[in-house]
Amino acid sequence: MKRIVRSTRVFLFLCLFLGAAFWAGHSVDADAAIVSTSHQKYTYTEYKKDLKQLRKKYKEHCQVNTIGRSADDRNLYEVVLGNPEAKKHLVVIGNLHAREYMTTQLCMSQIEYYLKNYDKKINGEKVSKVLDKVAIHYVPSCNPDGTAISQFGFNAIRDKELRADLKRMPGSSTHWKANARGVDLNRNWDVAFRRAGRRGYAGFHGSRAASEPEVKALVKMINKTEKKGRIVGVVSYHSTGSILYGRCAGNATAKVAQTTTRMYRTAQSLTGYRLMPAESLSSAGGCSREYFLYKRKIPCITLEVGRGACPLSIREFPSIWQKNKDVVFREASLFD
């Protein structure tokens, strides 16, 4: 009889132990990071999968919208954090240049970090309180086609005509900056636009302003967002150099220049990045930052993350993350 009692006790203990281990394991899995930062080539497939998981896990505070399609028919996604009906909106764009795809990884990590801490405080401010008044609109990857080229070569482009044209263009696929049509998406905007360069890995502004589907999609998103409320600022992520563009030329209104200064000082206090001189509108023709500042009268800063040659080594990510993890939230909190 005593043996039976002892056996029963052992059995129950094992059940409790295994049950606790099972649920503990599931608790860890549930809290595990969705966005991986342990490898360099953060792919379009992985990006789509992560967006789906983030939307599912944080559906009350996160919207994922398709705002357009790239030249090679990949989705361009907008991720909205917080109250989409807020009166104020902050826009964040990454990966305009193909080989700078670590900026997508950074934006996605920021998105997850802010959502995970939605009911907590960052730098003493409640995340939910700020995002209820200032919605953040991310476009983490503005150039998914170019990224596929930089990561996997020209054969990553599925359209036969695009692929054939690309193989006739100058430049290494690994160091590709342009989109799948050989156009620099950061020089294709409708502000002091001028045609320059030739189709290839870098330098071609396009046949005309806003000729590219990716730029058209971003402008359409900006127009749609402005109908909901005021866009208080734009944060644009590039690489490399650990530098910051935040000065305005004389073309900016006093209000835009003043707010841009507040934005760059906030970013600089967190990152320590070196502030660059202002570019004249003529020298920066067709540039996205100048489009926002001078054409749309929206304050805008550009952060160039990292120090090495692009594509950046994954070894740089921990340092980039520590400097930039709070940047976008702190920028939003300026307008709370």
Side-chain angles (χ1 to χ4, degrees):
M1 183 69 181
K2 289 181 179 179
R3 278 186 191 172
I4 294 172
V5 170
R6 279 198 300 270
S7 298
T8 303
R9 285 175 178 170
V10 170
F11 177 74
L12 289 172
F13 174 78
L14 286 170
C15 286
L16 288 169
F17 176 79
L18 291 171
F22 174 82
W23 287 112
H26 275 251
S27 175
V28 170
D29 288 342
D31 201 40
I34 291 170
V35 180
S36 174
T37 58
S38 62
H39 60 282
Q40 183 194 32
K41 291 183 179 179
Y42 187 70
T43 67
Y44 175 73
T45 300
E46 188 175 0
Y47 169 54
K48 283 206 308 180
K49 181 182 176 182
D50 289 350
L51 285 174
K52 185 176 180 180
Q53 287 184 276
L54 287 169
R55 178 170 51 186
K56 182 178 179 181
K57 186 173 181 178
Y58 300 104
K59 58 184 176 183
E60 293 182 3
H61 309 304
C62 171
Q63 290 186 3
V64 179
N65 306 313
T66 302
I67 60 171
R69 307 279 287 183
S70 67
D72 197 39
D73 207 30
R74 290 176 175 85
N75 283 341
L76 301 169
Y77 292 107
E78 171 199 34
V79 185
V80 185
L81 305 186
N83 177 13
E85 302 305 320
K87 299 293 185 183
K88 300 174 183 177
H89 304 265
L90 180 74
V91 173
V92 185
I93 56 180
N95 191 210
L96 272 170
H97 286 147
R99 66 191 185 189
E100 299 171 21
Y101 51 80
M102 191 174 283
T103 59
T104 301
Q105 219 165 1
L106 173 60
C107 287
M108 288 293 286
S109 295
Q110 287 176 334
I111 289 167
E112 183 171 16
Y113 172 57
Y114 300 148
L115 288 171
K116 190 174 182 178
N117 291 280
Y118 200 85
D119 293 315
K120 299 177 183 177
K121 291 183 178 181
I122 292 177
N123 294 118
E125 294 194 74
K126 190 83 175 284
V127 175
S128 59
K129 179 178 177 292
V130 172
L131 297 190
D132 186 55
K133 296 179 181 178
V134 186
I136 302 175
H137 299 248
Y138 274 91
V139 184
S141 178
C142 298
N143 190 359
D145 294 349
T147 293
I149 293 169
S150 181
Q151 291 176 337
F152 302 110
F154 298 127
N155 287 334
I157 299 303
R158 298 162 295 193
D159 184 280
K160 291 181 180 179
E161 290 186 13
L162 282 175
R163 190 166 64 246
D165 288 343
L166 284 165
K167 290 180 178 180
R168 290 191 288 266
M169 294 180 196
S172 159
S173 62
T174 303
H175 298 99
W176 202 260
K177 287 180 69 175
N179 69 351
R181 285 161 40 89
V183 177
D184 183 336
L185 295 181
N186 198 41
R187 294 290 183 173
N188 189 236
W189 297 74
D190 188 14
V191 57
F193 178 83
R194 65 181 186 280
R195 185 164 177 164
R198 55 179 292 202
R199 290 187 191 273
Y201 85 104
F204 182 54
H205 294 196
S207 56
R208 63 184 185 283
S211 61
E212 302 311 292
E214 298 89 347
V215 173
K216 287 177 181 176
L218 287 165
V219 171
K220 185 177 179 181
M221 184 205 79
I222 294 295
N223 292 341
K224 185 177 179 181
T225 303
E226 280 193 326
K227 290 179 180 178
K228 295 180 179 180
R230 180 166 63 94
I231 298 177
V232 293
V234 175
V235 176
S236 181
Y237 270 113
H238 286 254
S239 59
T240 183
S242 293
I243 55 178
L244 175 61
Y245 290 92
R247 296 193 186 278
C248 296
N251 309 74
T253 65
K255 186 176 181 180
V256 167
Q258 183 181 32
T259 304
T260 300
T261 298
R262 289 177 65 210
M263 289 179 69
Y264 90 65
R265 285 178 176 167
T266 298
Q268 193 173 40
S269 71
L270 294 168
T271 63
Y273 291 170
R274 179 168 53 94
L275 182 65
M276 300 298 287
E279 288 187 296
S280 68
L281 190 53
S282 59
S283 67
C287 186
S288 59
R289 180 169 183 262
E290 280 63 32
Y291 173 81
F292 292 119
L293 286 173
Y294 311 130
K295 183 81 178 268
R296 303 300 292 257
K297 296 179 173 53
I298 301 172
C300 179
I301 61 171
T302 295
L303 294 96
E304 299 263 6
V305 304
R307 292 189 178 278
C310 289
L312 292 172
S313 165
I314 195 62
R315 291 191 297 271
E316 289 210 50
F317 190 85
S319 174
I320 291 169
W321 174 246
Q322 286 304 315
K323 292 174 181 178
N324 286 274
K325 65 178 183 177
D326 294 339
V327 166
V328 170
F329 176 72
R330 286 283 299 278
E331 296 294 350
S333 68
L334 290 176
F335 306 98
D336 176 16

